Amino acid sequence: MRFTRRQLFRAGAGAAALGLVSPRVWAELAIGDSRVSTVSDGSLMLPGDFIFQHMPQEELATLLHQANVPRDRLQPECNVTLYQGGGNTVLFDVGSGPDFMPSAGSVVENLDAIGVAPDDVTHVVFTHAHPDHIWGLLDDFDDPVFANATYMIGRDEWDYWWDPDTVNTIGEARAAFAVGAKRRLEAIEEQIERFDDGQEILPGIAAVASYGHTPGHMSFEVRDGSTAALIAGDAIGNHHVAFRRPNWPSGSDQDAALAAQTRQALFDRMLADELSLIGFHLPNGGIGRAEKASDGYRFIQDI
């Protein structure tokens, strides 16, 4: 099954009508002298098949029952990460803005609730250019919302969305994603810096290639001495199946096989290096850690 932007938008409109918009919740984590917070951009409303269609259905049903997650409808949080340290105020992604789903697009309002204005943001760093991560870039006049920021994106991610042929090859269900990404990247073409895997993009912040969800998706390791966290974006996209069965293909990933390899590598890295985890679509603000379990991993939020 394929889903058009119109179908996804209608699902989001239904969520808004039912009063299912996420509250102004955020979580915090200290990394040395710096602080990492997550700020709500609201939530999405997605049909279950957007993720679950190609998974083993009988075993999936058992896992979803154990996690108390419905099969037919998902409402993932959207958690924008805010890093404050070393004189920098950094946003990782900018949320959906007003044009994707009415249940999302509230990050500016919720930043204001914790005393951060758009003009305070020194850097905007993109994990990838899907709508719920980049469409909040522009205001009603098509000017950047975060006017004083330096913009940063992985080189391979930029190249993919900048390619004029992407809209023709990405598939009908995601064609609007390509158009929307290109329009927003064009608006900041002269203000954006591109980086590569392993590069320290700012003091204490290093890029970690996590391809598969998109062709150039980037995660980030934030470190101060022995304290560190992984900002995973959508490389680990939920707290249930992605943890319990990281090798299963997810319909949300553009390259499902590569994304599965990436998830496993990130879990290995987090456990080996004792990294905290920050996930864009993980629950209750998205900050926690991964713990090995007999049948995969668990998302733990006791930090």
Side-chain angles (χ1 to χ4, degrees), residues 55-77:
M55 296 178 179
Q57 295 300 302
E58 185 173 347
E59 188 176 356
L60 172 67
T62 299
L63 295 181
L64 294 181
H65 176 74
Q66 292 171 349
N68 195 29
V69 172
R71 169 64 176 80
D72 61 335
R73 188 181 70 181
L74 296 169
Q75 190 192 346
E77 292 181 17

Side-chain angles (χ1 to χ4, degrees), residues 171-233:
E172 181 183 354
R174 288 186 166 101
F177 294 7
V179 173
K182 182 69 175 295
R183 183 167 77 85
R184 286 157 178 85
L185 293 176
E186 286 174 341
I188 56 172
E189 180 183 5
E190 302 302 323
Q191 302 161 258
I192 198 163
E193 298 178 2
R194 290 170 281 280
F195 55 82
D196 299 302
D197 177 33
Q199 183 175 335
E200 186 176 49
I201 63 170
L202 290 166
I205 303 175
V208 179
S210 46
Y211 300 170
H213 183 69
T214 62
H217 186 288
M218 283 284 184
S219 300
F220 302 91
E221 184 174 308
V222 180
R223 177 175 292 277
D224 187 335
S226 61
T227 308
L230 182 76
I231 300 170

Side-chain angles (χ1 to χ4, degrees), residues 50-265:
F50 184 70
I51 291 178
F52 299 140
Q53 183 182 13
H54 299 295
M55 296 178 179
Q57 295 300 302
E58 185 173 347
E59 188 176 356
L60 172 67
T62 299
L63 295 181
L64 294 181
H65 176 74
Q66 292 171 349
N68 195 29
V69 172
R71 169 64 176 80
D72 61 335
R73 188 181 70 181
L74 296 169
Q75 190 192 346
E77 292 181 17
C78 297
N79 301 304
V80 173
T81 299
L82 172 69
Y83 171 89
Q84 295 168 295
N88 293 320
T89 297
V90 185
L91 277 187
F92 291 86
D93 299 326
V94 293
S96 297
D99 297 328
F100 186 49
M101 289 188 182
S103 55
S106 58
V107 69
V108 172
E109 176 185 358
N110 288 334
L111 282 168
D112 181 69
I114 58 171
V116 178
D119 287 352
D120 297 333
V121 175
T122 61
H123 299 80
V124 169
V125 181
F126 295 111
T127 62
H128 64 297
H130 276 166
D132 51 329
H133 296 256
I134 198 172
W135 280 21
L137 176 66
L138 302 179
D139 64 17
D140 292 340
F141 301 96
D142 280 351
D143 293 322
V145 172
F146 305 96
N148 296 333
T150 297
Y151 297 92
M152 310 179 82
I153 193 170
R155 193 178 312 278
D156 288 342
E157 188 73 358
W158 170 276
D159 289 346
Y160 176 74
W161 297 103
W162 195 257
D163 185 347
D165 200 38
T166 292
V167 69
N168 301 315
T169 59
I170 196 173
E172 181 183 354
R174 288 186 166 101
F177 294 7
V179 173
K182 182 69 175 295
R183 183 167 77 85
R184 286 157 178 85
L185 293 176
E186 286 174 341
I188 56 172
E189 180 183 5
E190 302 302 323
Q191 302 161 258
I192 198 163
E193 298 178 2
R194 290 170 281 280
F195 55 82
D196 299 302
D197 177 33
Q199 183 175 335
E200 186 176 49
I201 63 170
L202 290 166
I205 303 175
V208 179
S210 46
Y211 300 170
H213 183 69
T214 62
H217 186 288
M218 283 284 184
S219 300
F220 302 91
E221 184 174 308
V222 180
R223 177 175 292 277
D224 187 335
S226 61
T227 308
L230 182 76
I231 300 170
D234 282 5
I236 300 174
N238 60 68
H239 66 290
H240 35 85
V241 177
F243 277 75
R244 297 285 296 280
R245 297 292 184 271
N247 61 315
W248 280 6
S250 172
S252 64
D253 297 325
Q254 291 184 219
D255 185 331
L258 179 57
Q261 295 175 19
T262 291
R263 276 192 295 276
Q264 185 60 63

